[in-house]
Amino acid sequence: DRMDTSRRARAKPPVRKLARELQVDLTAVAPSGPDRIVTRDDVLAAAATPDMQVPSGVQAEMARRMTLSRSQIPDAHAGVQVDCSALLRLRDRLQVTPFVLTLRLLTLVLRRHPLLNATWVDTAGGPRIHPHAAVHLGIGVATPRGLLVPVVTDALQRSTRELDAEVNRLIEGARHGGLRPTELMGSTFT
């Protein structure tokens, strides 16, 4: 028992979950946090190292996610008519695209209605809904290689201008093949 706990990496549960999702062995990650705790950045850095093999590739991962979305995630549709005159004036004042404003408004809605930013999880005790504390927005981008979904991490923590800069960076990176595999994973809402 003592040997097992001494070899176990120290990390908080969200960091352990991220490591599982990115297939990173926590015991092989150099911890940078206080008291030798593995941080989220440590896991992301380990996942981005050139010697780490991403098993599926971009196209296989895209196919897996599209299959998942069609087979396990229920469709939801809603329609409303809205007077967007004030929103367009805000867009002009901030000099951002309507898409970025829509994403900003979406983050505010997800903060107010956290069950929309949740995942359906099958557990031994039966299915449950797992709401995510952070909002990581997946945005679809058409590229020469097909549809990619880069992820704006921690969208709730970003101002509208920061969101605009990150969306533009991700779109440019997706179109020119400059994104790391970790930038295409971990969305909580697409």
Side-chain angles (χ1 to χ4, degrees), residues 81-94 98 101 105:
Q81 289 187 353
V82 178
D83 177 1
C84 291
S85 304
L87 191 61
L88 293 175
R89 287 192 297 275
L90 178 62
R91 174 205 62 187
D92 293 342
R93 195 177 88 226
L94 294 176
L101 280 181
L105 293 171

Side-chain angles (χ1 to χ4, degrees), residues 17-25 47 52-56:
K17 180 178 184 238
L18 177 65
R20 279 192 307 273
E21 288 174 357
L22 298 180
Q23 299 177 346
V24 171
D25 178 7
M52 180 170 176
Q53 296 296 315
V54 178
S56 59

